[in-house]
Amino acid sequence: MLSLESENKRTGIAIALSIIVHALLLLLLPGFNAPIGYNRLGDGLPIDVTIIPLPAEEEVTTPVVTPKPPVEQPVVKPIETPVEEPLKPVEPPVAVAPEPKEEAPQVLTTINPVAPVNTATSEPEPAPEPEPEPEPVLEVIEPQPPPPPIRREVVSGLGILIMYPSKEAAFLRSSAHVHIVVSVIPQDMPQGRLIGTTGSDELDRWVLLWSERRFSYTPWSEPYEVEFLATIDPHTRSVTFDLLEPDSRVRIVQP
């Protein structure tokens, strides 16, 4: 029984508090007592407007400056200074030279061995003009071509016995000597020729063929010649090529 009463009291107190809180909220809300049609957000209420007059803007006026005519300055004339005339030089009196007197001819004597020189009438000799120096002549030195090579330096393969031509030299009874000239031409095969003969055309051709192809020749800028002496010995069955004048220079041949 007591619990029910206490619960009712608590409920009544809660309801009373709720009513009081709602009443306070309604009283405190703005526009609660306002007339009908009043907007609680504040719209429609009269507003006090205060008009503050603003100062009028002053118009900026540019003053018009009227140019004044220039004032003519008085022209000050310079003070003229009198120009003094230069003094004329006083010409000295012209002295009249006396007429020359005829002098007696000077005679060379032992006392006066030198004849006097008349300095009054003699004029000084003009100094000789200096002769213009000759212009130096520039010597044009042409480049000299290099000397031709030495014979033993252009031929290689000497000193070796060549195979004996049995068929071509079958007629020989003694040694045969033949002079050979080989022409070395740039970018071409060496060409040989015989001075004299071995007595056989076949043996001559054999010697020429070996002189052109057996040895190595150093090429040169110009064609040149070298000379050999070929010896064919039937007893030793050998052919020897000796270079003539090996320490001399080769002979240049004009094409």
Side-chain angles (χ1 to χ4, degrees), residues 2 23 62-63 80 96 99 119 128 142 179 218 241 247 252:
L2 292 173
T62 305
E80 296 181 358
V96 179
E99 296 180 358
T119 58
E142 297 182 357
H179 189 187
T218 303
F241 288 88
D247 294 329
I252 302 298

Side-chain angles (χ1 to χ4, degrees), residues 23-72:
L24 291 174
L25 290 175
L26 292 174
L27 291 173
L28 294 176
L29 286 174
F32 179 75
N33 296 324
I36 299 173
Y38 171 74
N39 189 359
R40 292 186 179 184
L41 297 176
D43 296 339
L45 293 177
I47 300 173
D48 295 335
V49 178
T50 304
I51 299 175
I52 301 172
L54 297 176
E57 294 181 358
E58 295 180 359
E59 296 182 359
V60 180
T61 57
T62 305
V64 179
V65 179
T66 304
K68 297 181 180 181
V71 179
E72 295 183 359

Side-chain angles (χ1 to χ4, degrees), residues 3 15 30 33 68 71 81 85 98 109 125 130 134 138-139 147 164 175 177 192 195 206 213 224 227 252:
S3 60
I15 293 172
N33 296 324
K68 297 181 180 181
V71 179
T81 305
E85 295 182 358
T109 61
E125 295 181 357
L138 298 178
E139 297 182 0
Y164 184 77
S175 298
H177 304 278
I195 299 177
W206 187 93
R213 302 186 181 182
Y224 63 89
E227 299 178 9
I252 302 298

Side-chain angles (χ1 to χ4, degrees), residues 88-135:
K88 295 182 180 180
V90 179
E91 297 181 358
V94 179
V96 179
E99 296 180 358
K101 297 180 180 180
E102 296 181 359
E103 296 182 355
Q106 299 289 337
V107 180
L108 298 179
T109 61
T110 56
I111 301 174
N112 186 15
V114 181
V117 179
N118 189 0
T119 58
T121 58
S122 61
E123 297 180 355
E125 295 181 357
E129 296 181 357
E131 297 181 357
E133 297 181 358
E135 296 181 357

